[in-house]
Amino acid sequence: MNKSNSVQDILVIGGGINGAGIAADAASRGLSVVLCEKGDLASATSSNSSKLIHGGLRYLEFYEFGLVRKSLKEREILASIAPHIVRPLAFQIPQLSHSRRSWLLKAGLFLYDNLAKRDRFKNSSTVRYSSGSLLNDSIKHGFEYWDAQVDDARLVILNALQARSHGASIYTRVECVALNPVEQGWSATFQNHLTNESSTQVFRAVVNATGPWVSSLLENLTEQGNPHPLRMVKGSHIVVPRIHGGDEAYLLQHHDGRIVFVIPYLSNYSLIGTTEEEYRGDLDKVEISNDEIDYLISIVNLYFRKAVHRSDIIHTYSGVRPLIDQSGKSASSVSRDYRLELETHPFPLLSVYGGKVTTYRVLAEQAVSSLVRYFPRMPTSNTSKTPLPGGDFGLSENLFQDLATKYGWLDPDLLNRWLASYGRLSFDILGNVRGLGDLGVKFGANLYQLEVDYLCKEEWARTAEDILWRRTKLGYVFNENEKQSLENYIKQSNPH
């Protein structure tokens, strides 16, 4: 990142979903944008979610009708603009004696079906379970409703790609270490953690979209106070071998009123989560606790016939959600909505508090619109109608057929993985390759040199972890030797 004498419009600090979404929205309106992220894109909370786009069915019992309506509208929009990574998914709610009363769930599901217009999601319905079901014998009935599953890290990447396509500069492993007012705006000092070089640049406005770090960044880089005390709530997940063969997910109700999802994941696994535990530790070293593991296993075994054991756990991950503190409320009942706080002295500094993956787009739209007085010529947002990169296609079946027709020698599993990650971008990546040999070295599973080179050149990947856990999910099937081989190749072929 070199020093530039020109004044840029907006600096976005933070490369999670909110920061990437804000960069994409601002750049699409013609503003000059720089996004900096001290680590990799989506390297914290935004890649450690339950990987759902959902209206928040349980928020209805806290009377958050506005948040649910907003989330349901966004669910429809995201399924439209990113159909390759946002896919409708059925959720079943099995009923036990301690569950919420059936009439209450029926009323909630009726509202859920009707709070916002929907074209891609089905009505809720009742479900009957036979004695031979995968659930315990005591469970006879339940309900089914629809939400969507998302590749959360790729959603961040696609927004960064969208921002760059409109001229934004995206810098990873670059930390903003100082903000100082000068005559033309904010002078930002950057530290590049790859090259250890520093640089400065001036911006007319700054957006603080650092998630759990939003308060500490304000305190460390400016003299402004923190208007909204945050409550750090850790959410953890476990991944186990697939515990049921169906395509549906399950919403399990615990005795304490909280819920846990069991979600089909990457064909061969079940994703189980999330917990809600107050967190006061190091935000860069968030890990699941033994109590959380016990909690998740106990609720799954309460419902499912096939027991889950600690030895079944293949992977765990944890993220910290920065929730706006509400005195007297439990972690599970604190609102998941967001607030935008704009300080105008000496220059505009917008801080983003809270938020969730589902509402990132409308948050970004409102964040950029809040700066209109400083950029009066910028048009209104069009992100609700603009497909994210790779999402400009109709039926996924037709896209698969088009790709298979042109590249018939590709393995169907590879085709399906690429389509679920890149959508129509798959054609750009493959280009005019004519056979398997043109894909280059095979590092493991179905990861080839061609894809690795693309991810390093176009999607800011700098390490094997970036590729195996955030750009793809092949970390589940790579062994240590394969990981090391990939790491060595990246270091040799992509010098910093």
Side-chain angles (χ1 to χ4, degrees):
M1 189 172 186
N2 298 320
K3 181 175 180 178
S4 172
N5 293 323
S6 63
V7 179
Q8 304 294 305
D9 289 329
I10 294 179
L11 168 64
V12 180
I13 307 174
I17 187 57
N18 290 333
I22 290 168
D25 189 286
S28 72
R29 300 201 211 187
L31 301 181
S32 56
V33 177
V34 170
L35 180 148
C36 72
E37 162 57 48
K38 69 176 183 177
D40 183 27
L41 296 173
S43 56
T45 306
S46 293
S47 61
N48 292 306
S49 73
S50 295
K51 309 189 189 308
L52 298 177
I53 299 296
H54 65 112
L57 177 62
R58 74 185 183 96
Y59 305 155
L60 290 174
E61 62 186 336
F62 303 121
Y63 308 108
E64 294 204 63
F65 302 114
L67 175 59
V68 175
R69 182 182 293 109
K70 178 166 57 181
S71 300
L72 290 171
K73 288 180 178 178
E74 289 303 300
R75 183 188 68 176
E76 194 73 35
I77 291 171
L78 296 180
S80 173
I81 66 175
H84 46 326
I85 63 166
V86 178
R87 294 171 290 278
L89 180 65
F91 287 76
Q92 294 190 6
I93 312 175
Q95 290 290 90
L96 281 172
S97 58
H98 68 266
S99 301
R100 292 160 178 83
R101 294 181 180 181
S102 292
W103 67 264
L104 184 62
L105 277 173
K106 284 181 180 178
L109 289 169
F110 176 80
L111 282 173
Y112 206 67
D113 287 341
N114 293 284
L115 273 174
K117 180 183 177 183
R118 56 191 164 80
D119 295 320
R120 298 169 183 265
F121 296 88
K122 299 178 183 178
N123 272 324
S124 60
S125 58
T126 57
V127 179
R128 296 288 176 184
Y129 298 108
S130 66
S131 58
S133 78
L134 54 88
L135 299 172
N136 288 324
D137 288 338
S138 58
I139 300 173
K140 303 300 183 184
H141 72 281
F143 301 90
E144 182 176 271
Y145 71 100
W146 288 77
D147 268 324
Q149 192 169 24
V150 66
D151 186 330
D152 50 5
R154 287 217 58 79
L155 187 63
V156 177
I157 301 297
L158 294 183
N159 274 275
L161 288 172
Q162 189 88 303
R164 188 180 64 189
S165 73
H166 290 288
S169 298
I170 309 295
Y171 297 110
T172 62
R173 269 80 179 191
V174 173
E175 184 175 3
C176 181
V177 294
L179 281 176
N180 295 294
V182 293
E183 184 179 353
Q184 295 172 295
W186 291 106
S187 175
T189 302
F190 302 99
Q191 183 72 31
N192 188 315
H193 292 307
L194 294 177
T195 64
N196 206 32
E197 296 174 341
S198 61
S199 59
T200 60
Q201 202 163 349
V202 177
F203 299 88
R204 295 182 177 90
V206 173
V207 177
N208 173 10
T210 53
W213 291 270
V214 61
S215 298
S216 60
L217 185 136
L218 271 181
E219 294 168 2
N220 294 336
L221 301 189
T222 76
E223 296 180 355
Q224 299 179 13
N226 175 25
H228 298 299
L230 290 179
R231 193 165 178 177
M232 301 299 178
V233 177
K234 180 175 61 165
S236 296
H237 297 76
I238 61 175
V239 179
V240 300
R242 191 76 172 265
I243 62 177
H244 73 285
D247 293 330
E248 72 280 357
Y250 287 85
L251 184 157
L252 310 181
Q253 303 171 78
H254 202 281
H255 293 96
D256 60 12
R258 288 190 282 174
I259 62 169
V260 166
F261 293 111
V262 178
I263 304 167
Y265 189 52
L266 301 175
S267 300
N268 298 320
Y269 310 104
S270 291
L271 175 62
I272 302 170
T274 181
T275 58
E276 290 173 322
E277 186 177 272
E278 303 282 351
Y279 187 75
R280 296 178 177 84
D282 187 339
L283 291 173
D284 291 306
K285 297 178 181 179
V286 186
E287 296 179 346
I288 195 170
S289 67
N290 285 325
D291 286 345
E292 288 176 296
I293 292 175
D294 291 340
Y295 181 89
L296 294 175
I297 288 177
S298 67
I299 189 170
V300 171
N301 290 343
L302 184 65
Y303 282 84
F304 283 87
R305 192 184 303 272
K306 180 181 179 181
V308 171
H309 305 282
R310 275 179 172 264
S311 58
D312 295 322
I313 297 175
I314 294 170
H315 183 64
T316 68
Y317 65 84
S318 303
V320 173
R321 296 175 295 237
L323 306 181
I324 300 169
D325 198 12
Q326 294 173 289
S327 180
K329 287 195 173 185
S330 66
S332 60
S333 62
V334 173
S335 176
R336 267 55 177 172
D337 212 346
Y338 56 84
R339 293 184 193 174
L340 304 173
E341 195 71 31
L342 178 61
E343 296 288 342
T344 60
H345 182 76
F347 300 105
L349 172 58
L350 178 67
S351 294
V352 179
Y353 292 85
K356 55 201 290 285
V357 173
T358 303
T359 54
Y360 89 87
R361 191 210 61 82
V362 68
L363 179 155
E365 180 181 309
Q366 292 173 0
V368 178
S369 294
S370 73
L371 299 172
V372 69
R373 76 184 83 164
Y374 305 102
F375 307 103
R377 295 184 180 180
M378 73 175 177
T380 57
S381 176
N382 62 0
T383 57
S384 65
K385 297 179 176 63
T386 306
L388 288 173
D392 52 339
F393 63 89
L395 295 175
S396 57
E397 294 85 354
N398 293 344
L399 183 59
F400 178 90
Q401 189 58 49
D402 291 344
L403 201 63
T405 299
K406 185 171 182 179
Y407 307 101
W409 41 269
L410 278 176
D411 181 89
D413 288 341
L414 178 60
L415 282 179
N416 280 316
R417 181 175 71 78
W418 275 38
L419 290 176
S421 294
Y422 310 117
R424 188 163 286 281
L425 287 177
S426 301
F427 289 96
D428 297 336
I429 301 169
L430 286 164
N432 295 319
V433 299
R434 296 173 178 266
L436 203 59
D438 293 334
L439 299 183
V441 175
K442 182 179 181 180
F443 293 99
N446 55 17
L447 181 68
Y448 289 87
Q449 182 180 345
L450 180 75
E451 183 178 2
V452 172
D453 288 345
Y454 162 78
L455 293 172
C456 292
K457 180 182 178 183
E458 301 294 338
E459 294 196 0
W460 306 278
R462 295 292 178 267
T463 68
E465 180 184 342
D466 295 350
I467 289 176
L468 295 178
W469 291 107
R470 287 181 284 276
R471 306 311 186 279
T472 74
K473 294 295 182 289
L474 293 175
Y476 287 97
V477 293
F478 260 54
N479 62 41
E480 289 302 320
N481 289 335
E482 291 168 336
K483 291 176 186 176
Q484 191 59 54
S485 175
L486 176 61
E487 190 71 58
N488 293 339
Y489 173 77
I490 293 172
K491 288 180 179 179
Q492 293 167 8
S493 60
N494 296 277
H496 304 318

